[in-house]
Amino acid sequence: MQLITRVSELRGRLGDERSIVFVPTMGNLHEGHLQLMREGREYGDCVVASIFVNPLQFGPGEDFEQYPRTLDADCAKLQGLADVVFAPAVSEMYPVQQTIFVELPPIASDLCGAARPGHFRGMATVVLKLLNIVQPQVALFGKKDYQQLHLIRQLVLQLNLPVKIIGGETVRAHDGLALSSRNQYLSGAERAEAGFLYQTLQVMKQSLLQGARDFERLQQQAGSALADRGWLVDYVAIRNQSDLQPTGSQQWVILAAARLGKTRLLDNVEVDCVIQ
Ligand code: PAF
């Protein structure tokens, strides 16, 4: 495995590669990331992982400074899984002030975008830059960040980027908590509670599968169940898998974001239902 920090060196290294698979990350790797690397291996010969904490996607007062940076440990985990690790400095990714950004559709200001204005614009801009730098045939992103994955699919589709996007399944802890680098911000007591978010989504899923169709009520009940246990709920929403609009299809996704103390947790579950 080769660690590369410069764009020019990366381009030189990848110049002769015929099938490049790319897994962009912000580092502090956990089993969810490693699973994406393993899955990526099935799609091509050269697996490239990037590790870059992108300042553009953090808002004022968010955790850009505190975000865990663990490059040595990450590289150790990537041995045997990635062929190349691209870990640029901020000055390498943004050598001049970034004044050109990806303009996103209105859905980017809904759900997580409502609580984090500008987040998806910064995310999409860095993903476009990374795809241009690495030029992979395939790129993998976790389904845990469902709205992010949706926007990346639209970015690729609408800007004709020659890359196939694969969504990797969410990897969970024993109590259902979706793995995330931010889970380490949780105190012991918060960690013991954190699995309740997934359990709440599972209860909603069962209700939908059993025929419940009052979405407002289901969303409200789930929000109250979380709030009663001390969660600060950003949203619980049942949407179409395809466009994240309020339901109209037969394939739904229940998405939620809620805070436990200072930690904001995200999760979602897909539900395939036939509308009665
Ligand atoms: O999901 C992430 O880790 C980041 O948003 C990404 C896609 C690497 C862009 O910075």
Side-chain angles (χ1 to χ4, degrees):
M1 191 207 70
Q2 196 177 349
L3 175 62
I4 293 179
T5 58
R6 299 276 179 193
V7 173
S8 55
E9 196 191 340
L10 184 72
R11 289 213 162 115
R13 165 66 180 81
L14 298 180
D16 293 333
E17 293 289 350
R18 289 267 160 262
S19 68
I20 300 170
V21 178
F22 182 37
V23 184
T25 80
M26 297 206 300
N28 196 243
L29 303 180
H30 51 67
E31 191 51 35
H33 297 112
L34 304 184
Q35 193 51 41
L36 288 178
M37 309 287 163
R38 288 185 203 105
E39 195 179 339
R41 179 67 62 194
E42 295 166 22
Y43 292 94
D45 301 335
C46 179
V47 176
V48 179
S50 67
I51 296 180
F52 179 63
V53 184
N54 172 35
L56 244 52
Q57 68 189 76
F58 289 78
E62 291 191 344
D63 58 345
F64 175 68
E65 302 296 342
Q66 300 95 302
Y67 200 87
R69 289 156 172 90
T70 51
L71 183 60
D72 291 347
D74 290 344
C75 287
K77 289 178 186 170
L78 288 171
Q79 288 292 348
L81 294 181
D83 302 293
V84 177
V85 176
F86 177 51
V90 171
S91 56
E92 184 70 8
M93 282 303 285
Y94 300 112
V96 297
Q97 193 190 348
Q98 189 74 26
T99 53
I100 295 179
F101 296 89
V102 176
E103 187 178 341
L104 292 170
I107 189 66
S109 307
D110 195 2
L111 302 168
C112 281
R116 303 187 67 192
H119 165 67
F120 287 122
R121 183 175 91 139
M123 178 284 294
T125 302
V126 84
V127 167
L128 180 58
K129 282 168 74 85
L130 287 166
L131 291 174
N132 283 334
I133 291 167
V134 177
Q135 301 191 7
Q137 280 67 54
V138 175
L140 291 93
F141 297 83
K143 278 194 189 178
K144 186 186 80 75
D145 297 303
Y146 207 90
Q147 191 177 8
Q148 167 173 287
L149 178 59
H150 169 75
L151 290 166
I152 291 168
R153 287 192 194 283
Q154 289 301 310
L155 177 83
V156 164
L157 179 72
Q158 297 189 28
L159 296 184
N160 301 87
L161 303 182
V163 59
K164 180 181 167 73
I165 301 296
I166 305 290
E169 293 303 325
T170 301
V171 178
R172 299 182 180 281
H174 60 95
D175 60 349
L177 175 66
L179 297 194
S180 161
S181 302
R182 289 188 167 103
N183 291 352
Q184 64 195 266
Y185 299 155
L186 296 166
S187 68
E190 288 165 352
R191 175 63 194 85
E193 169 64 18
F196 188 67
L197 183 61
Y198 179 63
Q199 291 153 28
T200 304
L201 298 187
Q202 283 298 330
V203 170
M204 290 178 80
K205 176 174 176 168
Q206 287 315 314
S207 300
L208 288 168
L209 290 174
Q210 286 162 18
R213 292 294 178 269
D214 187 343
F215 300 130
E216 278 302 323
R217 187 147 178 262
L218 288 173
Q219 290 165 183
Q220 225 162 41
Q221 281 172 342
S224 303
L226 287 159
D228 287 350
R229 295 168 63 119
W231 293 72
L232 210 64
V233 180
D234 276 355
Y235 62 84
V236 180
I238 306 168
R239 299 290 176 94
N240 295 328
Q241 288 175 25
S242 57
D243 57 9
L244 298 187
Q245 297 300 323
T247 51
S249 71
Q250 300 180 352
Q251 294 187 302
W252 304 329
V253 56
I254 314 168
L255 305 122
R259 289 166 212 267
L260 259 187
K262 64 181 170 61
T263 311
R264 186 170 183 275
L265 299 176
L266 283 188
D267 208 344
N268 63 80
V269 298
E270 292 178 321
V271 187
D272 294 312
C273 267
V274 177
I275 296 176
Q276 312 283 312

Coordinates of all heavy atoms in Angstrom, one line a residue, residues 24-26 54 57 123 126-127 141 145 148, ligand 1:
P24 N -13.8 7.3 -1.1 CA -13.5 8.5 -0.4 C -13.9 8.5 1.1 O -15.0 8.0 1.4 CB -14.3 9.6 -1.1 CG -15.0 8.9 -2.2 CD -15.0 7.5 -2.0
T25 N -13.1 8.9 2.0 CA -13.4 8.9 3.4 C -12.8 10.2 4.0 O -12.0 10.9 3.4 CB -12.8 7.7 4.2 OG1 -11.4 8.0 4.5 CG2 -12.9 6.4 3.4
M26 N -13.2 10.4 5.3 CA -12.6 11.5 6.1 C -11.7 10.9 7.1 O -11.3 11.5 8.1 CB -13.7 12.4 6.7 CG -14.5 13.1 5.6 SD -15.2 14.7 6.2 CE -16.2 14.1 7.6
N54 N -12.7 17.5 5.0 CA -12.9 18.6 4.1 C -13.5 19.8 4.8 O -14.7 19.8 5.1 CB -13.9 18.0 3.0 CG -14.4 19.1 2.1 OD1 -13.7 20.0 1.7 ND2 -15.7 19.0 1.7
Q57 N -17.2 21.3 4.0 CA -18.5 20.7 4.4 C -18.8 20.8 5.8 O -19.8 20.3 6.3 CB -18.6 19.3 3.9 CG -17.7 18.3 4.6 CD -17.7 16.9 3.9 OE1 -17.1 16.8 2.8 NE2 -18.4 16.0 4.5
M123 N -19.7 19.2 0.4 CA -19.4 17.7 0.2 C -19.4 17.5 -1.3 O -18.5 16.8 -1.8 CB -20.6 17.0 0.9 CG -20.5 15.5 0.7 SD -21.1 14.8 -0.9 CE -22.8 15.3 -0.9
V126 N -16.2 18.8 -3.0 CA -15.0 18.0 -2.8 C -15.1 16.6 -3.5 O -14.1 16.1 -4.0 CB -14.6 17.9 -1.3 CG1 -15.3 16.7 -0.6 CG2 -13.1 17.6 -1.2
V127 N -16.3 16.0 -3.5 CA -16.4 14.7 -4.2 C -16.1 14.9 -5.7 O -15.4 14.1 -6.3 CB -17.8 14.1 -3.9 CG1 -18.1 12.9 -4.9 CG2 -17.9 13.7 -2.5
F141 N -19.8 4.6 -1.7 CA -20.2 5.4 -0.6 C -21.1 4.6 0.3 O -21.9 3.9 -0.2 CB -20.9 6.7 -1.1 CG -20.0 7.6 -1.9 CD1 -19.8 7.3 -3.3 CD2 -19.3 8.6 -1.4 CE1 -19.0 8.1 -4.1 CE2 -18.5 9.4 -2.2 CZ -18.3 9.2 -3.5
D145 N -25.1 7.4 5.0 CA -25.3 8.8 4.7 C -26.2 8.8 3.4 O -25.7 9.1 2.3 CB -24.0 9.5 4.4 CG -23.1 9.6 5.7 OD1 -23.6 10.1 6.7 OD2 -22.0 9.0 5.7
Q148 N -26.6 12.0 1.3 CA -25.3 12.2 0.6 C -25.2 11.3 -0.6 O -24.9 11.8 -1.7 CB -24.1 12.0 1.6 CG -22.8 11.9 0.9 CD -21.6 11.8 1.9 OE1 -21.3 12.8 2.5 NE2 -21.0 10.6 2.0
Ligands
PAF1 O1 -18.9 10.7 3.9 C1 -17.8 11.2 4.0 O2 -16.9 10.7 4.7 C2 -17.6 12.5 3.3 O3 -18.7 13.3 3.3 C3 -16.9 12.4 1.9 C4 -17.9 11.7 1.0 C5 -15.6 11.6 2.0 C6 -16.6 13.8 1.3 O4 -15.8 14.5 2.2

